[in-house]
Amino acid sequence: MEQLTSILSISLGAILINNFIFSQFLGCCPFLGCSSKVDTAVGMGLAVTFVMGLASAICWVVDYYVLQPLSLGFLQTLTFILVIAALVQFVEMFLKKSIPSLYSALGIYLPLITTNCAVLGVVLLNVQNNYNFIESTVYGITGGLGFLLAIVLFASVRERVEFAEYPESFEGFPICLVTASLLALAFMGFSGMKIF
Amino acid sequence: MNIKKQFRDGLITNNPVLVQLLGMCSTMAITTMLFNGIGMGISVLVILTCCNIVISAMRKVIPNDIRIAVFVVIIAGFVTIVDLLLQAYIPALSESLGVFIPLIVVNCIIIGRAEAFAAKNTIGASALDGIFQGLGYTIVLTIMCIIREFLGSGSFGKGLINTVGGVIGTGSGLQIFPEEFGAKLLTMPFGGFLTLGVLIAVMQYALRKSKEKKEKKEKEGVK
C-alpha cells in the first residue's frame, strides 16, 4: 500500500506539479524546437517518454549493481550519458527493423533525444532522490508523459499564435517563449497539490 | 587572427543564447540570483574552453562517423572534473545549481561549438572561441539574474555581497526595496520564460536596427 501511495504521488508530481518543462526547465530544446506542429509534437513526446522510461530502468540497474558496489559514483554522469546514447541507438535500430512507420515518422528527432536534458535529468534525479527500481521507472515514464502533455499543449497554442498579430521584434522565438511563460503560469496552479 | 571579430561574434552578433538560441534550459532554470548566474557562467566558460582545446587538438584523429560520441565523452570528463571541484571548494554553489551542473554535458552550447567551430579550426582560435562564447553566455545569464532578482525579490547579489566570514554563498545581498513588494512571479518558472523571451526580442530589434542603418549608409555611399 505504501508503495502504491508513493508511486501515485510520484506520478502526479511528475505530470502536473513538478512538470519537467514548466517547473524544472528540463528538455526545453526539443520543447521549443519540435513544437511547430501537433503531429510532430506527439511523435516527439512519445519517443521521449519511451526513452525516459527505459533509461531510468537501465541506469538504475547500472548504478545499483555496477557503480555503487565498485564505489565509482564519480563516474555517474559519464556512464549515464553513454548508456543513454547506446540506448537511443538501439531503439533507433529496433524501430527501423520492426516498426518502420513509426521510425520514419520520428525521423531526425530520435538521435536528438540523446542530448535531451530531460532524459539525463530524470536519471540523475532518480539517483538524487534515492528512488528504488519501480519508483525510478515510474518517475521516468510519468516524467515523459508530463513532457508529452506540455509539448502537445504548447504546439496547439503555437499553431494559433501564428495567425495572431504581435510586434515584429517578437517574431519567431520570443513569442514562443512568451507563450510558454503563460502556460507555465497556468501550470503553477497545480503547485501545492497533494495526495493523501 | 581576427580576434576582434571573434570577440564581437561571441558577445553580440553570434551570442550563443540570444542569437544561436543554444542552452536555453539552464539559462531559464538557474537565473534566479546573481550568485547562480555567475557561477554557472564561469563553469560553462571553463568547460567550453577546455573542450574546445582538446577537441581541436584531436580533430584530425577522431573518425568522422563517431565524432559526436567522442565529443560527448570528452565533455562528460570535463564536466565531472568541474562538478567535483565545485562540490569540494564551493559547496553552496554546487547545492544551489543542483542537477544543472552535471547537465552541462547535454548543454547544446558545448556540443554545438565543438561541432561548428572546434572541429574545423586551429587550437588557438578554438580556445579564443571557447572564451568569448563562454563570456557571451555568462553576460546573458548575469543580465537575466539581475533583472529577475531585482524585480522578483528586490535584492541584488544575494550570496555574493555581505558574506559571512568571506565564505561565498552565505551573503544576504543588498536589499534595494522590501522583498514583499517584489513581483514574486519573476523568480518562478514563468519569469524565466518571459525574461528570456523579452531579452531575445530586444536583441532582434537591435540587430535589425543596426542592419537597416548599415544598408542606409551603403545606399548613400552608392549615390
Side-chain angles (χ1 to χ4, degrees):
Chain A
M1 187 61 204
E2 204 174 289
Q3 183 81 31
L4 198 68
T5 325
S6 99
I7 285 175
L8 263 178
S9 70
I10 288 176
S11 322
L12 188 71
I15 297 178
L16 295 177
I17 306 166
N18 284 319
N19 187 287
F20 266 73
I21 289 177
F22 292 130
S23 77
Q24 306 192 43
F25 293 111
L26 292 171
C28 289
C29 301
F31 172 68
L32 295 165
C34 309
S35 54
S36 47
K37 278 198 192 110
V38 175
D39 298 349
T40 48
V42 173
M44 184 70 188
L46 287 176
V48 168
T49 310
F50 183 63
V51 174
M52 269 169 83
L54 215 55
S56 299
I58 293 179
C59 286
W60 188 89
V61 171
V62 170
D63 186 54
Y64 193 77
Y65 288 107
V66 181
L67 292 183
Q68 282 181 15
L70 299 174
S71 56
L72 288 174
F74 61 92
L75 282 182
Q76 260 170 10
T77 317
L78 192 65
T79 321
F80 290 165
I81 190 76
L82 285 179
V83 169
I84 291 169
L87 186 68
V88 172
Q89 197 76 53
F90 275 123
V91 169
E92 202 181 335
M93 274 153 51
F94 174 76
L95 284 183
K96 204 174 180 179
K97 279 268 159 60
S98 50
I99 322 177
S101 57
L102 184 61
Y103 175 78
S104 57
L106 290 176
I108 184 157
Y109 303 125
L110 255 180
L112 280 182
I113 295 174
T114 313
T115 53
N116 183 341
C117 41
V119 180
L120 186 59
V122 78
V123 174
L124 291 168
L125 285 174
N126 281 336
V127 174
Q128 238 175 45
N129 296 342
N130 273 327
Y131 284 157
N132 64 25
F133 181 72
I134 296 173
E135 287 171 335
S136 297
T137 316
V138 168
Y139 192 50
I141 293 172
T142 49
L145 288 178
F147 179 86
L148 176 69
L149 175 69
I151 198 170
V152 172
L153 277 179
F154 183 56
S156 337
V157 177
R158 235 177 113 171
E159 279 184 352
R160 302 239 163 174
V161 167
E162 266 178 27
F163 301 108
E165 274 182 41
Y166 43 81
E168 204 181 335
S169 302
F170 274 88
E171 204 167 315
F173 239 69
I175 194 71
C176 296
L177 284 170
V178 174
T179 315
S181 79
L182 293 175
L183 274 176
L185 194 62
F187 265 74
M188 257 178 63
F190 293 117
S191 67
M193 220 159 90
K194 258 187 200 142
I195 284 195
F196 309 121
Chain B
M1 273 293 299
N2 40 7
I3 295 178
K4 217 171 162 186
K5 188 181 166 288
Q6 273 190 320
F7 181 74
R8 256 183 73 90
D9 262 3
L11 261 56
I12 304 163
T13 49
N14 204 12
N15 187 290
V17 182
L18 297 183
V19 181
Q20 296 177 65
L21 308 171
L22 299 173
M24 318 289 278
C25 305
S26 54
T27 312
M28 291 185 280
I30 54 100
T31 49
T32 46
M33 57 183 194
L34 193 61
F35 174 54
N36 281 351
I38 291 182
M40 184 74 181
I42 292 174
S43 311
V44 168
L45 192 149
V46 170
I47 295 170
L48 183 57
T49 313
C50 295
C51 288
N52 264 2
I53 292 173
V54 172
I55 288 168
S56 164
M58 289 172 61
R59 70 185 186 279
K60 285 174 188 145
V61 198
I62 302 174
N64 204 33
D65 297 328
I66 55 158
R67 64 181 192 287
I68 302 286
V70 177
F71 293 168
V72 169
V73 174
I74 294 173
I75 295 167
F78 280 112
V79 169
T80 307
I81 295 173
V82 169
D83 188 14
L84 294 178
L85 283 176
L86 284 182
Q87 276 177 27
Y89 294 104
I90 320 179
L93 184 64
S94 172
E95 200 155 289
S96 94
L97 290 179
V99 77
F100 283 95
I101 290 278
L103 279 183
I104 297 177
V105 178
V106 282
N107 192 319
C108 330
I109 292 181
I110 298 178
I111 207 157
R113 289 322 288 177
E115 173 80 5
F117 198 92
K120 293 176 198 138
N121 288 285
T122 57
I123 299 178
S126 303
L128 282 177
D129 182 71
I131 295 173
F132 294 145
Q133 293 282 337
L135 267 182
Y137 178 70
T138 312
I139 288 175
V140 174
L141 285 189
T142 314
I143 296 173
M144 278 190 68
C145 286
I146 292 176
I147 296 175
R148 287 180 70 187
E149 196 187 337
F150 175 66
L151 294 178
S153 56
S155 61
F156 175 77
K158 216 179 254 177
L160 284 176
I161 300 172
N162 287 338
T163 49
V164 180
V167 183
I168 302 173
T170 55
S172 54
L174 295 175
Q175 199 68 34
I176 296 168
F177 58 81
E179 193 167 344
E180 56 267 31
F181 294 149
K184 260 273 156 52
L185 266 181
L186 276 178
T187 56
M188 294 181 174
F190 164 77
F193 284 111
L194 189 69
T195 320
L196 188 61
V198 172
L199 266 185
I200 295 176
V202 169
M203 192 70 187
Q204 285 188 354
Y205 177 79
L207 284 180
R208 207 180 61 232
K209 275 276 149 15
S210 82
K211 203 173 155 197
E212 275 171 12
K213 223 177 189 176
K214 222 184 214 169
E215 275 167 8
K216 212 174 172 188
K217 235 182 203 168
E218 271 169 16
K219 256 185 198 166
E220 278 167 6
V222 171
K223 273 177 193 171

